[in-house]
Every structure is written in structure tokens, then in C-alpha cells.
Amino acid sequence: MAIFLLYLAAALAIAAGQDLGYIQNFQQTDQGDQYIELSWDFVAGDATYALHKYSLTTDNDFSSDERCPAASCTTVVDYLEPCQEHYFELVPYFTDPSGGSDVLGDSANTTGYTNDLLPGAASNVAIADEDDDGTTLQWNAPTENGACVDHYEVCFRLDGKVDTICDTTTDTQITMADMQACGLYHVKITPITPSGLSAPTLDETVQTREDVPGPPQDVVVGLITQETIQMLWNDPITNPLCVDRYVITFGETHALLDDVSTEPGSLRVSGYQNEATISPLSPCTNYTIDIRSQNSAELSSEPVTSYAATADTEPLPPPYVIVDPEDSDSILVIWGDNEDDKCAGDFVICWNDGFHPYETCEEVDGGGDNSFIITDLLPCTDYNVIINVVSPGGTNYSDPTTNHTSTEDVAPGPVLNLQVTDVSIDQITITFDAPETDPQCVKEYDINIIDEDQEKLLDGAGIAEFSSRTITDSISGLESCTKYLIRVSAVSPTGKRSPWEDVRDTTDGDVPSAPQELGVNAYDGSSITVQWFQPAENSRCVTEFELSWSGPTNGTETIDNEGSFKMTYQIDGLQACSEYTITLYAAAKDGDGSFDTVTQETTC
């Protein structure tokens, strides 16, 4: 070949600049499975250099001489390989007029294709390799017309399925990413010729390797009842065909977890490939649930862990509630719990005073010391305390457990608007309003009646029980014409009292009765001493006593009522041995009154 190239270079050098003629339209005009027909035209040049022959080189491998002095030529190249592209170079040779070696002209090139011969089937398909990238299949090329295979179409189908996946390759092996471990696959390999003809198909089965499946996917908690938890999941992404079973383990969760599912039916429960219902379970209980994929050799994937709680039922009520006043505005509440009640979560404490039409409630977290101090209460008030146990999900409440107690006493504020509304000869009626400060602390009102004329507290001071906002009390059995001081104090249940509020008034006047026991306790020839006692009735209405006497001489005397129960007066300037009639008149302010008389003779 090296000698030929040197010769060719020398010939071209000789022919440089010569118009020798040239080839055009060099092309394939016919073909068979082992031959190709070529044609070309020759355009003549310098007649001095006559066309001698053509040299035809096929596939850069073998050459032949072609003689055709015509303007258009054809030739057939046979014994070619079928189903292939072939390369052709045609070089004209011209006679050197000087008698030297032929002169080479410009070459022409073209390609041509032999017809296909249908190859035989591939054989011996087998698994060459398996890894995370897929399964590599390899096979033997057809022994018949193997050169006619342009590429292979490789298809596979999982046993029992209808879906088929196909790919192509020009090699006798291919890696199929979708062929998974642990699968029995039907494999079809079809050789395809360059023209698209399909050779007979190799149809065989292969079994991929055993492997450990990956963990389940999309694990969720489905429907929840008091005794069951539904689990839903999809097959693993890795080696799903290797799953022989799913293994579910579960147990109570003793730690407090933030991602526990407690809402029954809160998730989508359809469209998953796998489902299992765990039962029987205890209500109101947190569970840890592990799901593993497992192959037939009992090799398992890593677990997928979920947390869920069974639905709530009504918890048991507290076994007892103890209430004790802490102060005048607070109550300490202590309650018991049922240790084995898993449905006991938090507590709701409510309280009311049985008077105002509303109730206050507070939620207390479970797991504490079961105590709570109710604050901002009214003093001297009896409160009902109610405790309900709330289930962990907050959907169920226990029956209530109740108790009651009163906040400690404080002294109520003073009564308001104390005044006298009516007065008679023996009765005074007062009204007053309940205290503005802590009126609920009033158990009763202490009413003192003081006789200011005699400066003494009267027996039988009135007591009015608290009953309404405005209180009216009539104080009877009083003396007429008497100044009274009336004092009122609000008293708490334990005896704490408010400051006293005062009001004064005087009973009306009435006709006094006659002085009592008018008589003479001494006399002589010129004087008589009389004595008497205050009238039995309305004595305080007596403003003065009018004393008069009649006999040989007459006279009168006005004596102021100084309030002494017993009074005496000496009448002087009388005649001896004379009888006198003495009259004593008890006079009231309005002039009304009563009298009594006595007769006495002076000594001689």
C-alpha cells in the first residue's frame, strides 16, 4: 500500500495542470444481497491523453480494473457481504503519449448498500450483572447472517403482568433499570436488520436475584376507633418484588410525643396498596407502630415508625374533691384521680356562687399534683366547685364531682342612706340600703336603740336579717316623747362588723296619766309637804306639774318636770287648824294632761 501511494503521488505530480477528463455521476444503480451495480459518466479532456482504464477499489480492501471507453459506464461488484454499507473509489488512468507509465486522473467516491438477509434468532439470554442501577442481560448473536443485525429490540414483562417495557441496543447486552430483584421475567430479544426487518424472536424467562426489600412507603394512620388503629402504606421503592410479607409490631408509647395521630378518619384512607387494622387495643392509649418489609428468607427492611392513639372514651370522674378557703378571695381545690384510667387527660374546673347566672371554668393540665387555687373570688361567698376529667383527645368528659365551701369573712362596708321614715308615740321606722362594699358578707344587721334621755341601751335591741338591697325595720315598744339614737351595723357570719351608722329622732307626744300616789308626807300649822311619782303613762310627755291648793287661802305653783321619778314640794304660808284641798296636774306641751287631788288639815 505504501508503494501504491508513492506511485500515485508521482503520477498525480506528472498529471498536474493537465486537462485529462474526469468522472461524474458515480453512484449505485442496483443491488442484491451480494452485489452492487455502479454507474458513472466520463467527461473527456485532452485527446492527447487517451483514457486507458479505470481502477475500482472496494471497501479499501481489494481492487479491479474496469475497461469502458464509453461516455457512460456500468459495472457489477459481487461477492459482497449482505446487509452492509460498502465504500467505492474509482480512478481513471490515461495513456502517456511519451510512452511512459499511465497518468492517473481525479478519483470519484460513492457508497452502496447490499440487500438484507434475515438473520437467525439470538440465543442463550442470561443475567450478566445485577446492582442498584438495574439488571444487565446478555445473549449470543445469531449464528446465521449475524452481520445483518443492525440492533436488537429487548422487551420484558413481569410474570403475571401485562405491561411490557422495551429498549434497543446495538450490543449483545443491555442494562434494564426497571427489572427489579426477586422477579420472574419473560424476556424477548428480536434482531432488527438495517432496513427494519425483524428476525425470529428469542423468548425466554429469567429469574432476578433474591434481595432484601426496601422499607414501606407513604405509611400513614387511617381510621381510628376505641379498640383499633388502621395502618395504610404503599410498596417499597427498592426491591418491591422481594416482599413476601409485611411485619407489624406495636406497643404502648410511654413517652409524651408531639406527632401522635388522634383524629379518627382525619386522613385519606383509600388509594393505598396495603392496609392492616391492629386490634384489639386499649382505648385512650398511645401506641408506637413499626412496619417492615420482609422477603421469603425472613430478611427485613428498616422499620417505618408511626405513632397513634386509640379513640377516647368517657373517663372516670375524680373519686373526691376537697375544697378549703385559702383567704377571703381564694379557695384551694384538691382532687383525686383514677390511676388505671388511661382515658384521663386534663381536668376542667368550674365554679359558681349559686347567685350570679354565670360560671367560670379553667383547664388544668393532667399529670400534676391535682391541686388548683381559685382566685379573684368574692369574700363571704359559698362557691360550688365542679371538676370534670377530660379525655386526652378532648372529646369526652367524665361525670362531674362537686363540693362547695365559702371564702373567708371580711367586715362588710357600712350601711347606706340610714334614715327615719316614720315616727309614732311608741314606734320609729327606719330604712337603709345594704353596704356598697361586700354586701354579700352581711348575714344580719345589728340595730341598737339608745334612750338618750336616760343614756342607756334599751333591752331588746332589734336585729334585722339581711334580705334585700333596701331594708325597713320598725322599732316598737318605745316611750313617747323620748329622744332615741338608733345605730346600725352590718355583721358577717363570723361576727365581723362594719362601722356603726347613726340616726336620731324623738317619739311623738301623748296625754300623760295622772301623777301616781299623790300624798302628804309632812305638815304643821303653816305648811304641808306633798309627794308624788311620775305618771304611769307617758310620763316623759310631762313638761311641768301645776300644783294648786284651796282653803282659807288659795295658791298655785308651777314645777318643772326634772325627770325624777319621785318628787316633793312644800306649800308654805298656810293657816293653822285649816283644811286644804291640794290638786296636782301633769301638763304636756300641748296642754293636755291629767290630775289628782289630796286633802290635808294643818295643825292648830
Side-chain angles (χ1 to χ4, degrees):
M1 181 65 71
I3 296 173
F4 171 77
L5 290 176
L6 290 174
Y7 169 78
L8 178 61
L12 289 175
I14 294 173
Q18 299 293 328
D19 181 16
L20 304 178
Y22 60 90
I23 300 168
Q24 67 177 10
N25 300 327
F26 184 37
Q27 60 188 339
Q28 174 183 348
T29 54
D30 194 13
Q31 75 282 332
D33 54 20
Q34 290 185 330
Y35 74 89
I36 291 176
E37 181 183 81
L38 301 171
S39 66
W40 66 91
D41 297 326
F42 179 73
V43 179
D46 186 352
T48 305
Y49 290 85
L51 178 63
H52 178 206
K53 62 178 181 180
Y54 297 94
S55 176
L56 178 63
T57 302
T58 301
D59 295 332
N60 295 321
D61 185 24
F62 60 91
S63 302
S64 63
D65 290 339
E66 302 290 337
R67 293 187 59 88
C68 178
S72 296
C73 303
T74 60
T75 186
V76 174
V77 182
D78 51 12
Y79 304 112
L80 298 176
E81 292 289 334
C83 316
Q84 291 185 10
E85 181 181 24
H86 297 276
Y87 301 90
F88 302 98
E89 182 183 37
L90 184 65
V91 180
Y93 282 73
F94 299 92
T95 302
D96 185 356
S98 62
S101 299
D102 288 346
V103 178
L104 276 65
D106 294 333
S107 64
N109 299 276
T110 190
T111 60
Y113 289 88
T114 49
N115 289 341
D116 293 353
L117 284 178
L118 199 63
S123 60
N124 298 327
V125 63
I127 294 175
D129 189 28
E130 295 178 85
D131 55 29
D132 292 340
D133 294 330
T135 300
T136 300
L137 301 174
Q138 69 178 14
W139 58 92
N140 294 336
T143 57
E144 182 181 356
N145 298 324
C148 286
V149 177
D150 178 72
H151 64 275
Y152 296 92
E153 181 182 65
V154 182
C155 298
F156 67 88
R157 173 181 61 83
L158 182 64
D159 188 48
K161 303 293 183 179
V162 296
D163 294 337
T164 301
I165 297 176
C166 296
D167 200 356
T168 60
T169 179
T170 58
D171 200 355
T172 55
Q173 71 174 25
I174 188 172
T175 299
M176 307 298 279
D178 292 322
M179 289 188 73
Q180 304 165 359
C182 307
L184 178 63
Y185 288 94
H186 298 270
V187 178
K188 291 184 177 181
I189 300 176
T190 304
I192 307 297
T193 67
S195 64
L197 296 178
S198 297
T201 297
L202 170 65
D203 188 348
E204 292 187 6
T205 58
V206 295
Q207 177 69 52
T208 51
R209 75 186 190 282
E210 289 292 323
D211 206 342
V212 179
Q217 297 294 302
D218 309 318
V219 178
V220 297
V221 177
L223 296 173
I224 294 175
T225 70
Q226 296 171 359
E227 296 181 348
T228 64
I229 296 175
Q230 180 191 42
M231 300 301 299
L232 304 148
W233 68 94
N234 290 325
D235 292 335
I237 296 176
T238 304
N239 301 330
L241 301 178
C242 296
V243 177
D244 180 66
R245 65 180 68 88
Y246 291 99
V247 178
I248 301 176
T249 57
F250 60 92
E252 289 189 28
T253 302
H254 298 290
L256 294 177
L257 303 170
D258 294 332
D259 56 350
V260 174
S261 175
T262 59
E263 289 294 330
S266 61
L267 300 173
R268 176 172 60 94
V269 295
S270 62
Y272 290 89
Q273 294 171 312
N274 305 283
E275 180 270 336
T277 299
I278 306 171
S279 67
L281 304 175
S282 300
C284 307
T285 303
N286 295 336
Y287 285 93
T288 301
I289 304 167
D290 288 339
I291 303 181
R292 295 175 173 84
S293 307
Q294 189 177 89
N295 64 13
S296 57
E298 298 185 355
L299 298 176
S300 300
S301 69
E302 291 295 321
V304 177
T305 302
S306 300
Y307 304 99
T310 46
D312 294 353
T313 60
E314 184 176 296
L316 298 173
Y320 62 84
V321 173
I322 300 172
V323 290
D324 190 33
E326 285 270 286
D327 205 338
S328 60
D329 64 349
S330 61
I331 293 174
L332 171 64
V333 185
I334 299 173
W335 63 93
D337 56 18
N338 299 281
E339 294 182 359
D340 295 331
D341 187 6
K342 295 181 179 179
C343 288
D346 297 334
F347 303 92
V348 173
I349 301 178
C350 299
W351 58 91
N352 65 75
D353 59 13
F355 179 74
H356 297 92
Y358 59 83
E359 190 170 68
T360 304
C361 295
E362 188 82 21
E363 184 170 344
V364 179
D365 294 339
D369 59 359
N370 288 9
S371 67
F372 183 76
I373 297 178
I374 304 174
T375 58
D376 299 325
L377 302 177
L378 295 173
C380 318
T381 303
D382 189 64
Y383 282 93
N384 295 312
V385 179
I386 307 103
I387 299 184
N388 292 90
V389 184
V390 185
S391 62
T395 56
N396 289 282
Y397 288 74
S398 72
D399 291 333
T401 301
T402 64
N403 203 344
H404 69 93
T405 190
S406 295
T407 49
E408 294 181 356
D409 285 5
V410 296
V415 299
L416 303 176
N417 303 320
L418 174 61
Q419 57 186 318
V420 175
T421 58
D422 189 36
V423 178
S424 67
I425 60 174
D426 62 353
Q427 180 173 286
I428 294 177
T429 300
I430 61 171
T431 64
F432 55 88
D433 292 333
E436 184 176 10
T437 303
D438 297 321
Q440 75 281 354
C441 286
V442 179
K443 178 184 179 185
E444 58 187 12
Y445 294 100
D446 192 357
I447 301 176
N448 286 354
I449 303 97
I450 299 172
D451 183 344
E452 290 195 306
D453 290 339
Q454 294 188 350
E455 297 181 352
K456 69 175 181 178
L457 177 67
L458 299 183
D459 293 336
I463 299 294
E465 184 176 347
F466 171 69
S467 58
S468 63
R469 181 68 183 170
T470 300
I471 296 91
T472 301
D473 190 46
S474 295
I475 305 167
S476 58
L478 304 179
E479 296 286 341
S480 58
C481 303
T482 303
K483 294 179 181 179
Y484 287 99
L485 169 63
I486 303 171
R487 307 174 68 205
V488 180
S489 176
V491 184
S492 75
T494 60
K496 297 178 181 178
R497 66 173 60 249
S498 72
W500 292 94
E501 290 293 308
D502 300 340
V503 67
R504 286 178 168 84
D505 213 326
T506 302
T507 50
D508 291 344
D510 200 2
V511 178
S513 60
Q516 300 182 79
E517 301 297 327
L518 176 63
V520 177
N521 67 352
Y523 60 92
D524 57 20
S526 62
S527 66
I528 298 173
T529 300
V530 294
Q531 69 176 20
W532 70 91
F533 294 92
Q534 292 281 354
E537 297 179 4
N538 303 319
S539 62
R540 296 185 185 184
C541 292
V542 177
T543 58
E544 59 189 15
F545 292 97
E546 296 178 2
L547 182 66
S548 64
W549 58 92
S550 62
T553 59
N554 299 321
T556 61
E557 186 67 40
T558 300
I559 304 166
D560 291 336
N561 185 7
E562 297 177 355
S564 299
F565 181 61
K566 178 182 178 182
M567 300 183 68
T568 61
Y569 188 80
Q570 181 175 313
I571 304 172
D572 295 320
L574 301 179
Q575 294 183 7
C577 300
S578 300
E579 183 178 84
Y580 285 90
T581 298
I582 303 169
T583 301
L584 182 65
Y585 183 81
K589 288 182 180 181
D590 57 3
D592 294 330
S594 301
F595 66 91
D596 195 7
T597 62
V598 65
T599 301
Q600 180 63 48
E601 185 177 349
T602 56
T603 62
C604 296

